[in-house]
Each structure stands twice: as structure tokens, then as C-alpha cells.
Amino acid sequence: MKIARTVADLRIVSDWQRSGQTVALVPTMGALHAGHLSLVGRARALCDRVIVTLFVNPRQFDRPEDLGKYPRSEERDSAMLEPCGVDLLFAPPPEEIYPAGFATTVSVAGLTSGMCGDFRPGHFDGMATIVTKLFLMSRAERAFFGEKDWQQLQIVRRLVQDLNIPIEITGCPTVREPDGLAMSSRNERLSPGDRSIAPALFAALTHAAKRLQAGEEIEDILFAARKQITDAGFDRVEYLELRHHTTLEPLQHIGEPARLLAAAWLGPVRLIDNVPV
Ligand code: AMP
């Protein structure tokens, strides 16, 4: 596995493509876990070459303390990726991505309002900008994103379509701990007590999804799910919403494919999760 620090180092991708090889991109912010590795595994299975990017993107953090505390472990990440058949790890310094004078923002309307878009101002603009840059810098044919960040996945699909970026987006299922907690780099920051409470988020979503499918009253179910999460010990539920699975429009009744999405705070840690309905 080669390590690239500059955009110029990515020129090797053209050599691969000239010889007819397909190239996959797996964008990450590092602090890797089995969820990230599942994306790498899927990329490895579907493409000839795999690029993993490791960049803690300052522009997508709405709170400076979250950026400061975000776990960074390049050596460990690189050791985890080596046996996975990754060809290139792109881990640039911030000034390579945002040189002096950088002035462009990619902003997707509609899908970015509501849920994480409302509670994390600027987050999706920062994400859309870095993802667009990574697509254009790498010129990969295919990119892999986790369903854990469901709203993000729909936004990425939209921007690729709107900007005619020649890349195919593949969504990959959420990888969970045995007790149901969605794997996340932020789980490392949970205290042992909070770690035992954390699976309640997924449990409440799963229970609510079953009740929704059984045709019970939506408002009652959403209210009960919020209560189940706070009763379990979460400090507060930021949002818990039923949305159309791709347009993310709020839904008043069950019938169309839907997703139940939530964010909740446990001590200083914000966890998100979602399930199909
Ligand atoms: P991050 O490093 O948190 O920005 O995540 C990088 C990519 O990994 C994103 O596409 C995430 O959706 C995906 N991802 C994060 N956690 C999981 C998980 N538990 N299962 C599947 N994909 C995940």
C-alpha cells in the first residue's frame, strides 16, 4: 500500500485507468473500525484498485471542540488497511486540500435541510465540498459510502447527479457491534457506563419500525421511541424522524419506502443511527 500526501501523487490513478483497471474510492476520516473495512471489502470485490482517503475535514465540523477531540490514528489505520488489499492511502495535510485563497463551497439544497442539516450548521456544505474534491482529484469510477450516514448518502447521490460527476455511488449496510450499536469512531469517546446505554438507540429505532409496519399511529410511535431512548439513559434526543428513504421528505403515513432516523446525545457524544421501515 502506497501513501499519497499530495494531489500530484494521485497521478498513478491515470496509469491504472490507461491499462483498463477500474478504481474505487473509500472516503474516511480515519479512526477506522469494521464499518470502514466493510466498505473497503466491497470496493475490493467490485474494482481492480482501491484508494482509501483519510482526511479529518475541518470544514464539516460545526463545533471546534468536536474537531479537536476527533480521534486521529494514522499509523493504526494504515496497519488495518494494509492486509485489506488497499492500493493507495491518500492522507493529505489540510493545506493540500484547502490552500490559501480557497473560496468554493458545494452546497446541495433540499436534502440538507432537516435532521443533521438543522443541528449541524455548515456540516453538509463541508462534506459536499470535500467529497466533490475527492471525486475530482481521484477520478475514481466508483465510491463507497455507509448507510449509517443515511442523509449524507442521499446528498452525495444528488450532487453526483446534479454536477454530472462520472462516478457511481454504492451504499453499504451499517456494521454493528454484537449488541446492535452502530460502529462509529465516536464510540471510542463513550465512558463504560454510557457504552452500556448506547445500544438503546438502535433498539428503540428497531422497535418503532416494527410498530410502524404494523400500522400503529405514527405520532404515538415516534413519541414512545424518544421516551425509550431517554428512559434508557440518553441525555436528549436531538431528532427522531420518519422520512421518505431517498427524497427525505417527512412522511405522514406508511406505504412508500421509508427510513426512521435519529440523533441523540450521551454525555459529550452525539450518536446517529437509522433503520428501514
Ligand atoms: P467517517 O470516517 O465517519 O467519515 O466514515 C467514513 C465512511 O464510513 C462513511 O461513508 C460512513 O458512512 C461509513 N461508515 C461509518 N460507520 C459505519 C458503519 N458502522 N457501517 C458502515 N459504514 C460506516
Side-chain angles (χ1 to χ4, degrees):
M1 184 175 75
K2 288 200 167 65
I3 297 187
R5 301 283 175 199
T6 66
V7 180
D9 292 339
L10 294 172
R11 274 196 218 114
I12 188 174
V13 176
S14 318
D15 299 340
W16 295 338
Q17 286 171 328
R18 259 197 299 277
S19 65
Q21 301 180 75
T22 54
V23 179
L25 182 76
V26 182
T28 84
M29 297 204 298
L32 301 182
H33 50 65
H36 297 112
L37 298 188
S38 76
L39 308 189
V40 173
R42 192 107 177 86
R44 185 68 278 165
L46 295 177
C47 296
D48 300 312
R49 297 285 187 171
V50 178
I51 307 172
V52 173
T53 71
L54 194 173
F55 182 61
V56 182
N57 176 32
R59 290 183 180 238
Q60 73 187 68
F61 284 82
D62 49 309
R63 291 173 302 119
E65 69 275 18
D66 192 26
L67 173 62
K69 287 193 187 135
Y70 201 84
R72 290 157 210 254
S73 49
E74 185 184 319
E75 252 179 57
R76 181 182 155 273
D77 291 343
S78 152
M80 282 172 80
L81 292 171
E82 190 86 49
C84 298
V86 172
D87 296 281
L88 192 67
L89 175 63
F90 181 49
E95 57 276 17
E96 179 69 10
I97 300 297
Y98 302 117
F102 185 88
T104 301
T105 299
V106 178
S107 189
V108 178
L111 292 169
T112 52
S113 61
M115 302 187 287
C116 289
D118 283 356
F119 289 95
R120 302 190 63 191
H123 166 67
F124 283 131
D125 282 359
M127 182 280 291
T129 304
I130 185 65
V131 162
T132 302
K133 281 177 67 79
L134 292 172
F135 290 167
L136 298 176
M137 288 186 295
S138 69
R139 277 157 291 141
E141 285 97 343
R142 203 156 177 163
F144 295 78
F145 289 84
E147 291 182 351
K148 178 180 166 263
D149 299 278
W150 188 265
Q151 189 174 11
Q152 165 174 286
L153 176 58
Q154 308 319 312
I155 294 165
V156 171
R157 288 193 193 284
R158 183 80 251 163
L159 80 83
V160 161
Q161 199 177 328
D162 289 355
L163 299 179
N164 304 93
I165 302 178
I167 194 163
E168 186 178 336
I169 305 302
T170 302
C172 302
T174 302
V175 176
R176 300 181 179 282
E177 301 286 357
D179 60 12
L181 174 64
M183 289 193 180
S184 164
S185 309
R186 291 189 169 85
N187 294 351
E188 290 179 22
R189 290 175 48 212
L190 292 169
S191 69
D194 286 348
R195 173 62 189 82
S196 66
I197 294 168
L201 180 60
F202 177 59
L205 290 175
T206 311
H207 181 63
K210 279 202 194 107
R211 290 183 64 191
L212 287 164
Q213 281 150 359
E216 294 179 46
E217 187 58 46
I218 294 178
E219 285 306 313
D220 294 349
I221 297 169
L222 299 188
F223 181 82
R226 282 175 168 265
K227 185 166 178 323
Q228 190 179 336
I229 294 165
T230 46
D231 283 354
F234 273 80
D235 295 289
R236 69 192 157 90
V237 176
E238 199 171 75
Y239 65 79
L240 192 153
E241 299 202 20
L242 180 67
R243 299 277 180 137
H244 185 275
H245 72 145
T246 51
T247 66
L248 302 182
E249 293 288 340
L251 292 180
Q252 312 305 337
H253 50 82
I254 295 293
E256 297 170 81
R259 208 87 193 171
L260 194 56
L261 309 100
W265 285 87
L266 194 45
V269 183
R270 180 181 180 273
L271 298 178
I272 59 168
D273 206 344
N274 67 87
V275 296
V277 177

